Amino acid sequence: MWRKSSHSGGDNTDCVEVAVEGAHILVRDSKRRTGPVLVFRRTAWCGLLAGLEDPAVDGF
């Protein structure tokens, strides 16, 4: 089941959707539902989110 990001643009032009499929996290542009999908391992997804919350996580 795809879920739209709560941080997507209010005018529905900048929308990201995320779905969980087994051990993977899927990410797509909600305007291009049949377009490309990014696939992340759960650990990579969690690392990405941690880096977004605190850029110092990766030493930058």
Side-chain angles (χ1 to χ4, degrees):
M1 173 159 106
W2 290 94
R3 297 183 203 178
K4 189 176 288 190
S5 169
S6 61
H7 294 287
S8 291
D11 57 3
N12 288 328
T13 59
D14 299 319
C15 302
V16 174
E17 293 180 325
V18 177
V20 176
E21 187 174 296
H24 296 96
I25 306 299
L26 311 177
V27 181
R28 71 179 181 189
D29 180 343
S30 65
K31 296 180 301 304
R32 298 182 66 199
R33 292 184 172 165
T34 60
V37 174
L38 296 174
V39 180
F40 295 89
R41 290 188 181 111
R42 284 183 183 257
T43 52
W45 180 251
C46 291
L48 173 66
L49 295 180
L52 292 173
E53 290 177 10
D54 182 4
V57 168
D58 287 329
F60 292 108

